[in-house]
Amino acid sequence: MTFIIILGAAAAIYIAVLMFRLAAVALPLYAGVGISIYLIGRDFGYPASIAAGLLVGVLILVAGRALCAVLPPFYRAIVAAAFSGPAGFAGYQAAKGLAGLAIGGGYTLEALGLAGALAAAVAAWRGLGTAERNPPVRRSARHGLSPNSFLNRVG
């Protein structure tokens, strides 16, 4: 019985980590699934609708990453916000679903859902690489250390 509890806790932690790693692909996933369902409803057939959904999802993901790589910070924030919205929604649903397995309804469940939404949205924001990149650190040729290191100040 103890082994099953430990295994269940490990599975829950793995699912939570996986959710944060995949948060940035929530928008392409929603778009791909949406276009696939739309095309299936219009009698395009399963292979065509699945291929179109995959294509749309990949194009949105590549376009978002490319835009975040080349745009100025203000526009990168707009693109990242567009990706963070669906990730926040997915994080809310996932956190509320996982917490609902352990506790009953109420304000605590909603608070945990909102915390999951915020965490997933931040993970998607960071997953697109919107943080300012640090300038390269110069290395001292003599010691192989950076100029601001402790050893260079002491010695």
Side-chain angles (χ1 to χ4, degrees):
M1 182 69 175
T2 304
F3 179 71
I4 293 174
I5 292 172
I6 293 171
L7 190 62
I13 291 170
Y14 180 74
I15 289 172
V17 168
L18 188 64
M19 178 186 71
F20 293 124
R21 286 191 178 258
L22 297 177
V25 297
L27 176 64
L29 179 71
Y30 286 159
V33 169
I35 196 73
S36 293
I37 291 173
Y38 176 78
L39 291 177
I40 286 173
R42 301 287 183 240
D43 294 329
F44 275 90
Y46 288 105
S49 62
I50 291 172
L54 286 173
L55 182 66
V56 166
V58 167
L59 285 177
I60 289 176
L61 182 63
V62 168
R65 290 192 187 267
L67 286 173
C68 281
V70 298
L71 289 178
F74 177 73
Y75 296 113
R76 269 191 287 180
I78 292 173
V79 172
F83 274 75
S84 295
F89 178 73
Y92 173 79
Q93 296 295 326
K96 188 174 177 183
L98 285 175
L101 295 173
I103 60 175
Y107 294 117
T108 306
L109 188 61
E110 292 297 325
L112 289 173
L114 290 175
L118 181 65
V122 168
W125 188 285
R126 292 185 54 131
L128 286 174
T130 57
E132 288 293 322
R133 286 157 181 85
N134 295 329
V137 177
R138 293 183 331 180
R139 301 285 180 182
S140 172
R142 190 174 114 198
H143 297 291
L145 302 170
S146 66
N148 295 329
S149 71
F150 177 75
L151 294 175
N152 282 343
R153 282 187 243 145
V154 172

